[in-house]
Amino acid sequence: MCRCLICETQIKSFMSFGRMPLGNGFLAPENYSKEYFFDMDAAFCEKCKMFQLTQQPDEEQMFHENYAFFSGTSVFMAKHFQEFAEDVIKNYLQSDPFVVELGSNDGIMLKNFADRGIRHLGVEPSNNVAEAARKKGIECITEFFNEDLAEKIVKEKGQADAFLAANVMCHIPYLHSVVKGIATLLKPNGIVMFEDPYLGDVFQKTSYDQIYDEHTFLFSATSIQYLFGVHGLELIDVIHQETHGGSMRYVLSHKGARAVSDGVKNQLDFEKSFKLDQSASYLQFKQNCERSREELVALLKDLKSQGKRVAGYGATSKSTTILNYCGIGPDLIEYISDTTPIKQGKYTPGAHIPVKPYDEFKGNYPDYAVLFAWNHAKEIMAKEQDFLHSGGKWIVFVPKVEVLD
Ligand code: SAH
Ligand code: TYD
């Protein structure tokens, strides 16, 4: 038993994924002996409806000067954030606006504000990615956001017209401090827009690889409405996104400051009809995960027995959950190809599969490639036509385990 991170109700794990390393903890063999593991268990709170991990590593262990995830590795995501920023600029900024982004990483979103001379601030604790943003002319501070930092920003720079975040709110266990900080930072008529992987998509697609150390929570409109409501902020719109395999953009303002769209009620109704608010659904999800695991392992073992060469495509943090939960190592997957320099030459967390530069894949296609970066399938499949033409086949596991040729 433990206490819900949001409403402090006693909750109990409904599923254990076993011992897990850090999702982005790519490492060299000399560091295997001191590799960090934690028990990754998921729980659901029946009161506030929040899906959460029962424990997670310290934030300094995950986000630091050698953080492995650079947002700019996907062209599709750069376009997505350009459109996101353009929506904010067109619809929500007043005169002499100020925009704050949480988890601004290498500046993929803020670049669009900086290039237009709009006053902005990125809050980004991982200094290597923050440094990449600064090189593009983006202002950012190397800090973890919380209520104290919000007060400091208000004193030094004033309140914000827009508070933005993508794929970071769900990372932060102390969300009450963060949301309190947002309420302090936001102008009376300001707007909050953030997006994260959506619990409904994870359930529909059995995409359990969205569950890893950094993802303390998987949100729904129901749980977000509860959490922000505690701090006087109101959910005024929800906009479903294709990104990261199905995300939700939540739009909020101070309570009563703006009109609430019909979309909010529709989404809350959907979540009820889809039974996202009921414990039984979580047990069903667990069974779906177990079935998916059995099918993937059986397929890989079968291919190995036929002497086929299998590689992975995209050393995602999500793949850490797949590899460790399924017990897949270098015996079943030769290597994983990835375009991120900091990951190359290292080994995947826990499973210790070598991560190789993209040329390794391109220069000598394997028979099969497991698409770990399945959330970028459109972008990847469009540029990897030669792999298929050479007789290569994709293995996907979301929404179900299958071979694509
Ligand atoms: N927004 C980017 C990056 C997401 S990765 C995108 O969508 O691609 C999450 C980022 O949030 C990391 O760069 C991490 O360093 C940062 N982060 C983690 N905890 C944070 C906190 N408390 N405050 C601000 N940023 C945080
Ligand atoms: P991503 O799925 O965006 O995030 P996460 O790590 O949170 O699961 O990670 C995609 C990874 O795949 C990243 O390491 C870059 C890599 N990648 C490629 O190697 N080639 C590509 O064409 C793309 C789009 C990504």
Side-chain angles (χ1 to χ4, degrees):
M1 295 292 275
C2 64
R3 290 210 177 266
C4 170
L5 289 164
I6 304 301
C7 71
E8 298 195 347
T9 300
Q10 287 262 351
I11 53 172
K12 165 157 131 248
S13 141
F14 69 86
M15 174 167 188
S16 172
F17 288 88
R19 275 164 56 75
M20 277 289 155
L22 303 177
N24 268 313
F26 298 90
L27 73 175
E30 58 265 32
N31 294 322
Y32 287 170
S33 60
K34 45 180 194 252
E35 189 168 14
Y36 173 87
F37 287 89
F38 73 109
D39 290 323
M40 195 167 87
D41 287 11
F44 164 68
C45 176
E46 290 199 20
K47 183 175 172 218
C48 70
K49 314 296 180 192
M50 189 64 90
F51 176 106
Q52 56 200 279
L53 295 182
T54 58
Q55 54 169 298
Q56 52 281 133
D58 291 340
E59 59 187 0
E60 290 84 4
Q61 230 171 322
M62 298 185 282
F63 310 113
H64 41 63
E65 66 291 348
N66 287 313
Y67 186 54
F69 179 73
F70 281 69
S71 305
T73 45
S74 160
V75 179
F76 178 85
M77 290 306 292
K79 189 162 170 284
H80 170 78
F81 287 120
Q82 183 190 336
E83 286 165 6
F84 189 157
E86 280 168 2
D87 177 35
V88 175
I89 293 167
K90 192 163 150 237
N91 297 308
Y92 299 105
L93 297 190
Q94 299 154 24
S95 66
D96 186 28
F98 177 43
V99 176
V100 174
E101 191 196 359
L102 187 56
S104 46
N105 200 274
D106 59 8
I108 193 166
M109 165 104 83
L110 284 182
K111 185 178 183 312
N112 300 289
F113 295 94
D115 287 353
R116 289 171 173 83
I118 296 171
R119 213 155 56 86
H120 62 273
L121 181 69
V123 181
E124 176 46 71
S126 300
N127 197 43
N128 60 336
V129 292
E131 207 40 55
R134 287 185 197 108
K135 287 203 178 112
K136 297 173 196 158
I138 293 157
E139 190 177 342
C140 47
I141 49 173
T142 305
E143 302 274 2
F144 288 96
F145 185 83
N146 58 28
E147 58 190 292
D148 296 335
L149 187 69
E151 277 178 24
K152 197 165 155 229
I153 296 173
V154 173
K155 267 197 205 113
E156 287 172 11
K157 305 203 175 259
Q159 284 183 305
D161 296 72
F163 181 95
L164 312 177
N167 308 302
V168 55
M169 291 291 284
C170 72
H171 292 46
I172 310 178
Y174 46 91
L175 273 184
H176 280 296
S177 173
V178 168
V179 180
K180 204 168 164 199
I182 296 174
T184 305
L185 191 53
L186 199 65
K187 278 186 184 168
N189 198 32
I191 197 86
V192 180
M193 288 172 116
F194 72 91
E195 57 191 38
D196 281 291
Y198 179 53
L199 180 63
D201 284 287
V202 172
F203 270 37
Q204 269 172 329
K205 298 171 191 161
T206 315
S207 47
Y208 64 89
D209 56 345
Q210 287 293 4
I211 302 165
Y212 56 94
D213 58 343
E214 294 180 16
H215 289 180
T216 308
F217 302 104
L218 285 176
F219 298 140
S220 61
T222 311
S223 59
I224 288 301
Q225 189 185 48
Y226 178 96
L227 166 67
F228 280 75
V230 174
H231 300 278
L233 292 163
E234 187 169 36
L235 185 60
I236 59 166
D237 207 359
V238 284
I239 309 158
H240 190 261
Q241 309 289 322
E242 249 188 74
T243 50
H244 289 296
S247 296
M248 190 63 80
R249 183 177 299 165
Y250 304 95
V251 186
L252 301 106
S253 68
H254 286 290
K255 192 165 172 46
R258 289 172 183 264
V260 179
S261 106
D262 292 344
V264 173
K265 184 177 178 305
N266 294 343
Q267 198 62 36
L268 295 171
D269 287 348
F270 163 78
E271 291 177 0
K272 271 210 162 64
S273 66
F274 194 57
K275 301 194 168 94
L276 273 187
D277 58 345
Q278 292 181 23
S279 292
S281 306
Y282 294 77
L283 294 175
Q284 180 61 55
F285 173 68
K286 176 178 186 259
Q287 283 172 13
N288 295 347
C289 294
E290 287 164 357
R291 197 184 53 238
S292 174
R293 169 172 67 176
E294 272 164 33
E295 288 175 9
L296 182 61
V297 172
L299 173 62
L300 293 175
K301 285 191 171 160
D302 181 41
L303 293 174
K304 185 181 163 88
S305 71
Q306 294 175 39
K308 301 291 186 194
R309 286 186 58 224
V310 181
Y313 196 107
T316 59
S317 42
K318 294 185 292 297
S319 66
T320 297
T321 296
I322 301 288
L323 298 171
N324 288 278
Y325 173 64
C326 298
I328 297 167
D331 53 326
L332 294 177
I333 295 184
E334 225 176 272
Y335 67 88
I336 303 183
S337 145
D338 197 286
T339 53
T340 318
I342 196 173
K343 296 182 185 176
Q344 295 162 358
K346 295 198 176 129
Y347 292 77
T348 64
H352 302 162
I353 297 173
V355 181
K356 303 219 164 155
Y358 173 64
D359 288 353
E360 184 85 14
F361 173 82
K362 189 78 184 162
N364 181 13
Y365 287 135
D367 299 311
Y368 291 80
V370 183
L371 187 57
F372 287 116
W374 59 270
N375 45 311
H376 301 291
K378 255 193 204 159
E379 177 174 349
I380 292 170
M381 295 211 176
K383 68 183 175 193
E384 298 298 355
Q385 290 297 316
D386 284 355
F387 171 55
L388 290 182
H389 293 148
S390 76
K393 295 182 175 66
W394 292 108
I395 295 174
V396 293
F397 47 85
V398 173
K400 60 180 183 175
V401 175
E402 62 182 330
V403 173
L404 306 178
D405 53 15

